[in-house]
Amino acid sequence: MPKILIIQGSLNPNSKTAIVAKAAEKILQGLENVDCETLDLRSLDMQFCDGRKLQDYNSDAQKAYKMVDGVDGMIIGMPVYCYSVSGPLKNFIDIIASAMENKPAGILCTAGSSMSYLASSDLAKILAYESHVLSVQPVVCSSYEDFKDGKLESEKVVEKLIAMIGVLVTILGRNKNP
């Protein structure tokens, strides 16, 4: 049974990225033969990456590394700040990148406007170059107009979530049965 980790990469207490990540979790929980869990960066005390060895980081970094290392694939929730990957998510990846190696990942991109969706390509490049992560398509992009009263209201975003999860699960199924 493939195991998928959702990495919720926003530190905002009212995170729209967390809302979309929760929607992805709900979809995954409805699938048979798929195990999933969520790692919310808001719950971690992540130190700044400064090039030291993994074992020299705190217990939260160790825990996060083990969680990522122990899964077959990931869904990474990315808030967009200044048309790029948020600092906390990039810092997280810098510390635990080796645990991501050669695993497929879906990308959830949440931005302030629909004009910021191309920022997801920054994350795809970081993952590909650093950890040889295959980013699956479609990338799921949402913006403020897709939410109302703290809830995801866009059917288009939900449809893309379902499609992305379908591709990710298919790839993981193929990897289990070469």
Side-chain angles (χ1 to χ4, degrees), residues 109-149:
C109 176
T110 306
S113 77
S114 59
M115 301 303 289
S116 300
Y117 68 93
L118 289 175
S120 62
S121 67
D122 287 348
L123 180 57
K125 286 187 290 188
I126 291 164
L127 295 171
Y129 296 153
E130 183 62 31
S131 301
H132 308 286
V133 169
L134 170 68
S135 298
V136 303
Q137 298 298 318
V139 171
V140 178
C141 297
S142 61
S143 59
Y144 285 157
E145 60 262 12
D146 295 318
F147 300 86
K148 183 176 181 185
D149 299 325

Side-chain angles (χ1 to χ4, degrees), residues 27-47:
I27 293 165
L28 285 165
Q29 289 172 341
L31 298 177
E32 293 182 21
N33 300 319
V34 174
D35 187 18
C36 79
E37 63 182 317
T38 297
L39 175 59
D40 191 326
L41 293 193
R42 296 175 295 188
S43 70
L44 298 176
D45 175 24
M46 289 298 291
Q47 297 171 295

Side-chain angles (χ1 to χ4, degrees), residues 66-87:
K66 287 178 185 172
M67 287 179 77
V68 174
D69 194 45
V71 299
D72 302 300
M74 302 159 289
I75 295 175
I76 302 172
M78 172 192 149
V80 175
Y81 299 133
C82 297
Y83 298 96
S84 190
V85 178
S86 70

Side-chain angles (χ1 to χ4, degrees), residues 13 28 48 65 84 89 91 117 125 149 159-160 171 173:
L28 285 165
F48 285 109
Y65 184 92
S84 190
L89 180 58
N91 185 67
Y117 68 93
K125 286 187 290 188
D149 299 325
E159 288 170 6
K160 285 185 102 174
I171 289 170

